[in-house]
Amino acid sequence: MIDPDFAHRFAADWIDAWNRHDLDAILAHYADDFTMHSPLIAQFAGVSSGRLSGKGAVGAYWAEALRRLPQLHFHLLHVFCGVDSLLLHYQGARGPAAEWFEFGPDGRVIQAAAHYAA
């Protein structure tokens, strides 16, 4: 089970890293071979499936997103805990968003998926 203290620490660290536009700090939350799912991957990385794997590929995608969105800032609204995952609901640069994270045994993200308000 995801401990609420872990979930809130992760959320605070993750939001802070994004708000500082610190790509290394963002990527530190993830396993080397994690998979990211996002509808914005097609827009910023040109991958129509919306899925990327590994820190190299996802890092390049996020670097481009940070370059294109210099005003990017997240405001955390809610933290939801699951068995081996959590969901962050936040206000993003484009409106409300939710991001789901699945964690491996070492406490780093092995899979994540971003969701945006329609």
Side-chain angles (χ1 to χ4, degrees), residues 37-47 50 61 65 68-69 94 114 116:
H37 309 254
S38 173
L40 296 181
I41 287 174
Q43 180 180 353
F44 292 121
V47 178
Y61 152 61
R68 288 193 196 182
L69 299 169
R94 297 176 170 212
Y116 304 99

Side-chain angles (χ1 to χ4, degrees), residues 1-76:
M1 299 293 273
I2 294 290
D3 175 81
D5 290 335
F6 169 84
H8 285 277
R9 276 192 318 274
F10 174 88
D13 290 346
W14 187 85
I15 293 283
D16 179 62
W18 276 103
N19 286 345
R20 289 185 290 114
H21 294 203
D22 184 339
L23 188 55
D24 289 335
I26 295 165
L27 287 169
H29 295 96
Y30 299 85
D32 290 342
D33 59 349
F34 82 102
T35 301
M36 181 69 206
H37 309 254
S38 173
L40 296 181
I41 287 174
Q43 180 180 353
F44 292 121
V47 178
S48 62
S49 69
R51 297 173 190 205
L52 291 170
S53 293
K55 283 188 176 181
V58 180
Y61 152 61
W62 283 339
E64 179 62 15
L66 289 169
R67 186 188 70 76
R68 288 193 196 182
L69 299 169
Q71 78 285 4
L72 182 96
H73 183 84
F74 296 158
H75 174 73
L76 183 64

